[in-house]
Amino acid sequence: MQEIIKEYGPALIAIVAIIALIIIVKALVGNGADGIIGKAFKSMINTMESRANHANGVILPGAGIGKFIPGIPF
């Protein structure tokens, strides 16, 4: 048994570490909007859409950055 661990120990540690990383990434990302990152991204998109819908002014094509939209300073 000691010979097996001495020979294959580093490879086994690497395999366990890779599997642990895969599990952690899978838990964070999840399936679509189910994971932590998916929920945060969905919330960000909904907030951005809500703020755009409630803007007082209209963004015209070619307005550029630095222009003022009534009620929202840039």
Side-chain angles (χ1 to χ4, degrees):
M1 187 69 177
Q2 283 183 342
E3 291 178 14
I4 293 173
I5 291 178
K6 187 182 248 184
E7 184 73 27
Y8 299 109
L12 291 174
I13 291 172
I15 290 171
V16 169
I18 291 170
I19 291 172
L21 283 173
I22 291 171
I23 291 171
I24 290 170
V25 169
K26 181 66 176 166
L28 288 176
V29 174
N31 292 331
D34 295 338
I36 295 169
I37 295 173
K39 288 178 186 175
F41 187 71
K42 185 176 180 181
S43 173
M44 180 187 71
I45 295 295
N46 288 338
T47 301
M48 186 173 64
E49 181 183 12
S50 174
R51 288 181 181 172
N53 288 335
H54 291 94
N56 292 329
V58 176
I59 300 174
L60 299 174
I65 296 175
K67 299 293 181 179
F68 181 77
I69 297 175
I72 303 175
F74 281 98

